[in-house]
mmCIF file with all atom_site columns, all heavy atoms in Angstrom:
data_model
loop_
_atom_site.group_PDB
_atom_site.id
_atom_site.type_symbol
_atom_site.label_atom_id
_atom_site.label_alt_id
_atom_site.label_comp_id
_atom_site.label_asym_id
_atom_site.label_entity_id
_atom_site.label_seq_id
_atom_site.pdbx_PDB_ins_code
_atom_site.Cartn_x
_atom_site.Cartn_y
_atom_site.Cartn_z
_atom_site.occupancy
_atom_site.B_iso_or_equiv
_atom_site.pdbx_formal_charge
_atom_site.auth_seq_id
_atom_site.auth_comp_id
_atom_site.auth_asym_id
_atom_site.auth_atom_id
_atom_site.pdbx_PDB_model_num
ATOM 1   N N   . LEU A 1 92  ? 52.438 177.996 242.302 1.00 98.00 ? 358 LEU A N   1
ATOM 2   C CA  . LEU A 1 92  ? 52.446 176.606 241.845 1.00 98.00 ? 358 LEU A CA  1
ATOM 3   C C   . LEU A 1 92  ? 53.290 175.740 242.762 1.00 98.00 ? 358 LEU A C   1
ATOM 4   O O   . LEU A 1 92  ? 52.867 174.654 243.191 1.00 98.00 ? 358 LEU A O   1
ATOM 5   C CB  . LEU A 1 92  ? 52.972 176.552 240.405 1.00 98.00 ? 358 LEU A CB  1
ATOM 6   C CG  . LEU A 1 92  ? 52.973 175.193 239.693 1.00 98.00 ? 358 LEU A CG  1
ATOM 7   C CD1 . LEU A 1 92  ? 52.854 175.402 238.181 1.00 98.00 ? 358 LEU A CD1 1
ATOM 8   C CD2 . LEU A 1 92  ? 54.207 174.370 239.990 1.00 98.00 ? 358 LEU A CD2 1
ATOM 9   N N   . GLU A 1 93  ? 54.484 176.202 243.093 1.00 98.00 ? 359 GLU A N   1
ATOM 10  C CA  . GLU A 1 93  ? 55.372 175.406 243.940 1.00 98.00 ? 359 GLU A CA  1
ATOM 11  C C   . GLU A 1 93  ? 54.829 175.268 245.350 1.00 98.00 ? 359 GLU A C   1
ATOM 12  O O   . GLU A 1 93  ? 54.952 174.199 245.978 1.00 98.00 ? 359 GLU A O   1
ATOM 13  C CB  . GLU A 1 93  ? 56.768 176.031 243.957 1.00 98.00 ? 359 GLU A CB  1
ATOM 14  C CG  . GLU A 1 93  ? 57.459 176.059 242.601 1.00 98.00 ? 359 GLU A CG  1
ATOM 15  C CD  . GLU A 1 93  ? 57.671 174.679 241.994 1.00 98.00 ? 359 GLU A CD  1
ATOM 16  O OE1 . GLU A 1 93  ? 57.597 173.676 242.730 1.00 98.00 ? 359 GLU A OE1 1
ATOM 17  O OE2 . GLU A 1 93  ? 57.903 174.596 240.770 1.00 98.00 ? 359 GLU A OE2 1
ATOM 18  N N   . LEU A 1 94  ? 54.215 176.322 245.873 1.00 98.00 ? 360 LEU A N   1
ATOM 19  C CA  . LEU A 1 94  ? 53.627 176.245 247.211 1.00 98.00 ? 360 LEU A CA  1
ATOM 20  C C   . LEU A 1 94  ? 52.485 175.241 247.247 1.00 98.00 ? 360 LEU A C   1
ATOM 21  O O   . LEU A 1 94  ? 52.368 174.442 248.181 1.00 98.00 ? 360 LEU A O   1
ATOM 22  C CB  . LEU A 1 94  ? 53.137 177.625 247.647 1.00 98.00 ? 360 LEU A CB  1
ATOM 23  C CG  . LEU A 1 94  ? 54.226 178.642 247.989 1.00 98.00 ? 360 LEU A CG  1
ATOM 24  C CD1 . LEU A 1 94  ? 53.637 180.054 248.046 1.00 98.00 ? 360 LEU A CD1 1
ATOM 25  C CD2 . LEU A 1 94  ? 54.899 178.295 249.309 1.00 98.00 ? 360 LEU A CD2 1
ATOM 26  N N   . GLU A 1 95  ? 51.639 175.265 246.220 1.00 98.00 ? 361 GLU A N   1
ATOM 27  C CA  . GLU A 1 95  ? 50.489 174.365 246.213 1.00 98.00 ? 361 GLU A CA  1
ATOM 28  C C   . GLU A 1 95  ? 50.901 172.932 245.900 1.00 98.00 ? 361 GLU A C   1
ATOM 29  O O   . GLU A 1 95  ? 50.163 171.994 246.218 1.00 98.00 ? 361 GLU A O   1
ATOM 30  C CB  . GLU A 1 95  ? 49.412 174.846 245.245 1.00 98.00 ? 361 GLU A CB  1
ATOM 31  C CG  . GLU A 1 95  ? 48.074 174.178 245.474 1.00 98.00 ? 361 GLU A CG  1
ATOM 32  C CD  . GLU A 1 95  ? 46.889 175.082 245.214 1.00 98.00 ? 361 GLU A CD  1
ATOM 33  O OE1 . GLU A 1 95  ? 47.078 176.275 244.899 1.00 98.00 ? 361 GLU A OE1 1
ATOM 34  O OE2 . GLU A 1 95  ? 45.751 174.595 245.323 1.00 98.00 ? 361 GLU A OE2 1
ATOM 35  N N   . ALA A 1 96  ? 52.073 172.745 245.304 1.00 98.00 ? 362 ALA A N   1
ATOM 36  C CA  . ALA A 1 96  ? 52.599 171.391 245.159 1.00 98.00 ? 362 ALA A CA  1
ATOM 37  C C   . ALA A 1 96  ? 52.851 170.780 246.535 1.00 98.00 ? 362 ALA A C   1
ATOM 38  O O   . ALA A 1 96  ? 52.802 169.560 246.701 1.00 98.00 ? 362 ALA A O   1
ATOM 39  C CB  . ALA A 1 96  ? 53.884 171.401 244.331 1.00 98.00 ? 362 ALA A CB  1
ATOM 40  N N   . GLY A 1 97  ? 53.124 171.645 247.515 1.00 98.00 ? 363 GLY A N   1
ATOM 41  C CA  . GLY A 1 97  ? 53.222 171.176 248.897 1.00 98.00 ? 363 GLY A CA  1
ATOM 42  C C   . GLY A 1 97  ? 51.852 170.942 249.488 1.00 98.00 ? 363 GLY A C   1
ATOM 43  O O   . GLY A 1 97  ? 51.532 169.847 249.948 1.00 98.00 ? 363 GLY A O   1
ATOM 44  N N   . ASP A 1 98  ? 51.008 171.970 249.444 1.00 98.00 ? 364 ASP A N   1
ATOM 45  C CA  . ASP A 1 98  ? 49.629 171.853 249.918 1.00 98.00 ? 364 ASP A CA  1
ATOM 46  C C   . ASP A 1 98  ? 48.901 173.146 249.586 1.00 98.00 ? 364 ASP A C   1
ATOM 47  O O   . ASP A 1 98  ? 49.491 174.224 249.631 1.00 98.00 ? 364 ASP A O   1
ATOM 48  C CB  . ASP A 1 98  ? 49.593 171.615 251.436 1.00 98.00 ? 364 ASP A CB  1
ATOM 49  C CG  . ASP A 1 98  ? 48.212 171.215 251.928 1.00 98.00 ? 364 ASP A CG  1
ATOM 50  O OD1 . ASP A 1 98  ? 47.873 170.022 251.826 1.00 98.00 ? 364 ASP A OD1 1
ATOM 51  O OD2 . ASP A 1 98  ? 47.459 172.089 252.395 1.00 98.00 ? 364 ASP A OD2 1
ATOM 52  N N   . SER A 1 99  ? 47.624 173.024 249.277 1.00 97.00 ? 365 SER A N   1
ATOM 53  C CA  . SER A 1 99  ? 46.826 174.212 248.970 1.00 97.00 ? 365 SER A CA  1
ATOM 54  C C   . SER A 1 99  ? 46.796 175.185 250.137 1.00 97.00 ? 365 SER A C   1
ATOM 55  O O   . SER A 1 99  ? 46.639 176.395 249.938 1.00 97.00 ? 365 SER A O   1
ATOM 56  C CB  . SER A 1 99  ? 45.396 173.806 248.596 1.00 97.00 ? 365 SER A CB  1
ATOM 57  O OG  . SER A 1 99  ? 45.361 173.007 247.447 1.00 97.00 ? 365 SER A OG  1
ATOM 58  N N   . GLY A 1 100 ? 46.953 174.686 251.346 1.00 97.00 ? 366 GLY A N   1
ATOM 59  C CA  . GLY A 1 100 ? 46.949 175.558 252.515 1.00 97.00 ? 366 GLY A CA  1
ATOM 60  C C   . GLY A 1 100 ? 48.091 176.552 252.498 1.00 97.00 ? 366 GLY A C   1
ATOM 61  O O   . GLY A 1 100 ? 47.928 177.703 252.932 1.00 97.00 ? 366 GLY A O   1
ATOM 62  N N   . PHE A 1 101 ? 49.261 176.126 252.000 1.00 98.00 ? 367 PHE A N   1
ATOM 63  C CA  . PHE A 1 101 ? 50.402 177.035 251.925 1.00 98.00 ? 367 PHE A CA  1
ATOM 64  C C   . PHE A 1 101 ? 50.141 178.139 250.917 1.00 98.00 ? 367 PHE A C   1
ATOM 65  O O   . PHE A 1 101 ? 50.393 179.315 251.174 1.00 98.00 ? 367 PHE A O   1
ATOM 66  C CB  . PHE A 1 101 ? 51.674 176.270 251.536 1.00 98.00 ? 367 PHE A CB  1
ATOM 67  C CG  . PHE A 1 101 ? 51.992 175.104 252.422 1.00 98.00 ? 367 PHE A CG  1
ATOM 68  C CD1 . PHE A 1 101 ? 52.492 173.917 251.888 1.00 98.00 ? 367 PHE A CD1 1
ATOM 69  C CD2 . PHE A 1 101 ? 51.789 175.168 253.789 1.00 98.00 ? 367 PHE A CD2 1
ATOM 70  C CE1 . PHE A 1 101 ? 52.795 172.843 252.693 1.00 98.00 ? 367 PHE A CE1 1
ATOM 71  C CE2 . PHE A 1 101 ? 52.092 174.095 254.614 1.00 98.00 ? 367 PHE A CE2 1
ATOM 72  C CZ  . PHE A 1 101 ? 52.590 172.918 254.059 1.00 98.00 ? 367 PHE A CZ  1
ATOM 73  N N   . ARG A 1 102 ? 49.661 177.760 249.742 1.00 97.00 ? 368 ARG A N   1
ATOM 74  C CA  . ARG A 1 102 ? 49.369 178.768 248.721 1.00 97.00 ? 368 ARG A CA  1
ATOM 75  C C   . ARG A 1 102 ? 48.243 179.686 249.168 1.00 97.00 ? 368 ARG A C   1
ATOM 76  O O   . ARG A 1 102 ? 48.279 180.898 248.926 1.00 97.00 ? 368 ARG A O   1
ATOM 77  C CB  . ARG A 1 102 ? 49.022 178.084 247.391 1.00 97.00 ? 368 ARG A CB  1
ATOM 78  C CG  . ARG A 1 102 ? 49.148 179.007 246.173 1.00 97.00 ? 368 ARG A CG  1
ATOM 79  C CD  . ARG A 1 102 ? 47.854 179.658 245.793 1.00 97.00 ? 368 ARG A CD  1
ATOM 80  N NE  . ARG A 1 102 ? 46.818 178.671 245.686 1.00 97.00 ? 368 ARG A NE  1
ATOM 81  C CZ  . ARG A 1 102 ? 45.574 178.879 246.121 1.00 97.00 ? 368 ARG A CZ  1
ATOM 82  N NH1 . ARG A 1 102 ? 45.222 180.025 246.673 1.00 97.00 ? 368 ARG A NH1 1
ATOM 83  N NH2 . ARG A 1 102 ? 44.666 177.930 246.010 1.00 97.00 ? 368 ARG A NH2 1
ATOM 84  N N   . SER A 1 103 ? 47.249 179.134 249.871 1.00 97.00 ? 369 SER A N   1
ATOM 85  C CA  . SER A 1 103 ? 46.146 179.967 250.353 1.00 97.00 ? 369 SER A CA  1
ATOM 86  C C   . SER A 1 103 ? 46.646 181.018 251.326 1.00 97.00 ? 369 SER A C   1
ATOM 87  O O   . SER A 1 103 ? 46.236 182.187 251.267 1.00 97.00 ? 369 SER A O   1
ATOM 88  C CB  . SER A 1 103 ? 45.079 179.094 251.024 1.00 97.00 ? 369 SER A CB  1
ATOM 89  O OG  . SER A 1 103 ? 44.416 178.293 250.082 1.00 97.00 ? 369 SER A OG  1
ATOM 90  N N   . PHE A 1 104 ? 47.534 180.621 252.240 1.00 97.00 ? 370 PHE A N   1
ATOM 91  C CA  . PHE A 1 104 ? 48.090 181.583 253.198 1.00 97.00 ? 370 PHE A CA  1
ATOM 92  C C   . PHE A 1 104 ? 48.770 182.727 252.460 1.00 97.00 ? 370 PHE A C   1
ATOM 93  O O   . PHE A 1 104 ? 48.499 183.905 252.714 1.00 97.00 ? 370 PHE A O   1
ATOM 94  C CB  . PHE A 1 104 ? 49.092 180.891 254.121 1.00 97.00 ? 370 PHE A CB  1
ATOM 95  C CG  . PHE A 1 104 ? 49.690 181.802 255.163 1.00 97.00 ? 370 PHE A CG  1
ATOM 96  C CD1 . PHE A 1 104 ? 49.243 181.759 256.475 1.00 97.00 ? 370 PHE A CD1 1
ATOM 97  C CD2 . PHE A 1 104 ? 50.694 182.715 254.846 1.00 97.00 ? 370 PHE A CD2 1
ATOM 98  C CE1 . PHE A 1 104 ? 49.784 182.611 257.439 1.00 97.00 ? 370 PHE A CE1 1
ATOM 99  C CE2 . PHE A 1 104 ? 51.230 183.569 255.789 1.00 97.00 ? 370 PHE A CE2 1
ATOM 100 C CZ  . PHE A 1 104 ? 50.781 183.509 257.085 1.00 97.00 ? 370 PHE A CZ  1
ATOM 101 N N   . VAL A 1 105 ? 49.660 182.385 251.536 1.00 97.00 ? 371 VAL A N   1
ATOM 102 C CA  . VAL A 1 105 ? 50.427 183.397 250.807 1.00 97.00 ? 371 VAL A CA  1
ATOM 103 C C   . VAL A 1 105 ? 49.520 184.235 249.913 1.00 97.00 ? 371 VAL A C   1
ATOM 104 O O   . VAL A 1 105 ? 49.686 185.456 249.801 1.00 97.00 ? 371 VAL A O   1
ATOM 105 C CB  . VAL A 1 105 ? 51.543 182.717 249.999 1.00 97.00 ? 371 VAL A CB  1
ATOM 106 C CG1 . VAL A 1 105 ? 52.203 183.690 249.033 1.00 97.00 ? 371 VAL A CG1 1
ATOM 107 C CG2 . VAL A 1 105 ? 52.581 182.119 250.947 1.00 97.00 ? 371 VAL A CG2 1
ATOM 108 N N   . SER A 1 106 ? 48.533 183.598 249.293 1.00 97.00 ? 372 SER A N   1
ATOM 109 C CA  . SER A 1 106 ? 47.615 184.297 248.404 1.00 97.00 ? 372 SER A CA  1
ATOM 110 C C   . SER A 1 106 ? 46.765 185.300 249.164 1.00 97.00 ? 372 SER A C   1
ATOM 111 O O   . SER A 1 106 ? 46.604 186.452 248.733 1.00 97.00 ? 372 SER A O   1
ATOM 112 C CB  . SER A 1 106 ? 46.728 183.279 247.683 1.00 97.00 ? 372 SER A CB  1
ATOM 113 O OG  . SER A 1 106 ? 45.800 183.923 246.837 1.00 97.00 ? 372 SER A OG  1
ATOM 114 N N   . VAL A 1 107 ? 46.208 184.887 250.295 1.00 97.00 ? 373 VAL A N   1
ATOM 115 C CA  . VAL A 1 107 ? 45.373 185.788 251.089 1.00 97.00 ? 373 VAL A CA  1
ATOM 116 C C   . VAL A 1 107 ? 46.212 186.937 251.635 1.00 97.00 ? 373 VAL A C   1
ATOM 117 O O   . VAL A 1 107 ? 45.786 188.099 251.617 1.00 97.00 ? 373 VAL A O   1
ATOM 118 C CB  . VAL A 1 107 ? 44.673 185.021 252.223 1.00 97.00 ? 373 VAL A CB  1
ATOM 119 C CG1 . VAL A 1 107 ? 44.057 185.980 253.234 1.00 97.00 ? 373 VAL A CG1 1
ATOM 120 C CG2 . VAL A 1 107 ? 43.597 184.106 251.648 1.00 97.00 ? 373 VAL A CG2 1
ATOM 121 N N   . GLN A 1 108 ? 47.413 186.617 252.107 1.00 97.00 ? 374 GLN A N   1
ATOM 122 C CA  . GLN A 1 108 ? 48.280 187.666 252.640 1.00 97.00 ? 374 GLN A CA  1
ATOM 123 C C   . GLN A 1 108 ? 48.646 188.685 251.568 1.00 97.00 ? 374 GLN A C   1
ATOM 124 O O   . GLN A 1 108 ? 48.522 189.893 251.775 1.00 97.00 ? 374 GLN A O   1
ATOM 125 C CB  . GLN A 1 108 ? 49.555 187.032 253.212 1.00 97.00 ? 374 GLN A CB  1
ATOM 126 C CG  . GLN A 1 108 ? 50.532 188.017 253.826 1.00 97.00 ? 374 GLN A CG  1
ATOM 127 C CD  . GLN A 1 108 ? 50.339 188.232 255.299 1.00 97.00 ? 374 GLN A CD  1
ATOM 128 O OE1 . GLN A 1 108 ? 49.275 187.953 255.848 1.00 97.00 ? 374 GLN A OE1 1
ATOM 129 N NE2 . GLN A 1 108 ? 51.360 188.716 255.975 1.00 97.00 ? 374 GLN A NE2 1
ATOM 130 N N   . GLY A 1 109 ? 49.095 188.208 250.404 1.00 97.00 ? 375 GLY A N   1
ATOM 131 C CA  . GLY A 1 109 ? 49.629 189.116 249.392 1.00 97.00 ? 375 GLY A CA  1
ATOM 132 C C   . GLY A 1 109 ? 48.601 189.694 248.445 1.00 97.00 ? 375 GLY A C   1
ATOM 133 O O   . GLY A 1 109 ? 48.613 190.901 248.165 1.00 97.00 ? 375 GLY A O   1
ATOM 134 N N   . SER A 1 110 ? 47.694 188.840 247.943 1.00 96.00 ? 376 SER A N   1
ATOM 135 C CA  . SER A 1 110 ? 46.785 189.275 246.885 1.00 96.00 ? 376 SER A CA  1
ATOM 136 C C   . SER A 1 110 ? 45.468 189.823 247.403 1.00 96.00 ? 376 SER A C   1
ATOM 137 O O   . SER A 1 110 ? 44.734 190.469 246.652 1.00 96.00 ? 376 SER A O   1
ATOM 138 C CB  . SER A 1 110 ? 46.507 188.113 245.926 1.00 96.00 ? 376 SER A CB  1
ATOM 139 O OG  . SER A 1 110 ? 47.666 187.808 245.183 1.00 96.00 ? 376 SER A OG  1
ATOM 140 N N   . LEU A 1 111 ? 45.150 189.556 248.660 1.00 97.00 ? 377 LEU A N   1
ATOM 141 C CA  . LEU A 1 111 ? 43.910 190.090 249.227 1.00 97.00 ? 377 LEU A CA  1
ATOM 142 C C   . LEU A 1 111 ? 44.206 191.138 250.294 1.00 97.00 ? 377 LEU A C   1
ATOM 143 O O   . LEU A 1 111 ? 43.882 192.309 250.137 1.00 97.00 ? 377 LEU A O   1
ATOM 144 C CB  . LEU A 1 111 ? 43.058 188.955 249.797 1.00 97.00 ? 377 LEU A CB  1
ATOM 145 C CG  . LEU A 1 111 ? 42.505 187.965 248.771 1.00 97.00 ? 377 LEU A CG  1
ATOM 146 C CD1 . LEU A 1 111 ? 41.670 186.879 249.454 1.00 97.00 ? 377 LEU A CD1 1
ATOM 147 C CD2 . LEU A 1 111 ? 41.671 188.668 247.713 1.00 97.00 ? 377 LEU A CD2 1
ATOM 148 N N   . SER A 1 112 ? 44.840 190.741 251.381 1.00 97.00 ? 378 SER A N   1
ATOM 149 C CA  . SER A 1 112 ? 45.112 191.688 252.456 1.00 97.00 ? 378 SER A CA  1
ATOM 150 C C   . SER A 1 112 ? 46.048 192.806 251.994 1.00 97.00 ? 378 SER A C   1
ATOM 151 O O   . SER A 1 112 ? 45.707 193.992 252.036 1.00 97.00 ? 378 SER A O   1
ATOM 152 C CB  . SER A 1 112 ? 45.716 190.955 253.660 1.00 97.00 ? 378 SER A CB  1
ATOM 153 O OG  . SER A 1 112 ? 46.122 191.872 254.651 1.00 97.00 ? 378 SER A OG  1
ATOM 154 N N   . MET A 1 113 ? 47.243 192.431 251.515 1.00 97.00 ? 379 MET A N   1
ATOM 155 C CA  . MET A 1 113 ? 48.225 193.447 251.128 1.00 97.00 ? 379 MET A CA  1
ATOM 156 C C   . MET A 1 113 ? 47.787 194.235 249.897 1.00 97.00 ? 379 MET A C   1
ATOM 157 O O   . MET A 1 113 ? 47.953 195.456 249.845 1.00 97.00 ? 379 MET A O   1
ATOM 158 C CB  . MET A 1 113 ? 49.591 192.794 250.904 1.00 97.00 ? 379 MET A CB  1
ATOM 159 C CG  . MET A 1 113 ? 50.225 192.236 252.164 1.00 97.00 ? 379 MET A CG  1
ATOM 160 S SD  . MET A 1 113 ? 51.808 191.405 251.857 1.00 97.00 ? 379 MET A SD  1
ATOM 161 C CE  . MET A 1 113 ? 52.841 192.802 251.415 1.00 97.00 ? 379 MET A CE  1
ATOM 162 N N   . TYR A 1 114 ? 47.239 193.528 248.913 1.00 97.00 ? 380 TYR A N   1
ATOM 163 C CA  . TYR A 1 114 ? 46.842 194.244 247.700 1.00 97.00 ? 380 TYR A CA  1
ATOM 164 C C   . TYR A 1 114 ? 45.732 195.251 247.988 1.00 97.00 ? 380 TYR A C   1
ATOM 165 O O   . TYR A 1 114 ? 45.717 196.345 247.402 1.00 97.00 ? 380 TYR A O   1
ATOM 166 C CB  . TYR A 1 114 ? 46.389 193.260 246.618 1.00 97.00 ? 380 TYR A CB  1
ATOM 167 C CG  . TYR A 1 114 ? 46.036 193.942 245.316 1.00 97.00 ? 380 TYR A CG  1
ATOM 168 C CD1 . TYR A 1 114 ? 47.024 194.361 244.438 1.00 97.00 ? 380 TYR A CD1 1
ATOM 169 C CD2 . TYR A 1 114 ? 44.706 194.201 244.973 1.00 97.00 ? 380 TYR A CD2 1
ATOM 170 C CE1 . TYR A 1 114 ? 46.709 195.005 243.244 1.00 97.00 ? 380 TYR A CE1 1
ATOM 171 C CE2 . TYR A 1 114 ? 44.385 194.843 243.783 1.00 97.00 ? 380 TYR A CE2 1
ATOM 172 C CZ  . TYR A 1 114 ? 45.391 195.241 242.924 1.00 97.00 ? 380 TYR A CZ  1
ATOM 173 O OH  . TYR A 1 114 ? 45.067 195.892 241.755 1.00 97.00 ? 380 TYR A OH  1
#
Side-chain angles (χ1 to χ4, degrees):
L358 184 152
E359 297 300 342
L360 288 165
E361 196 145 357
D364 191 82
S365 298
F367 305 141
R368 199 266 309 140
S369 291
F370 181 102
V371 170
S372 178
V373 167
Q374 181 92 340
S376 291
L377 294 180
S378 173
M379 293 178 69
Y380 183 79

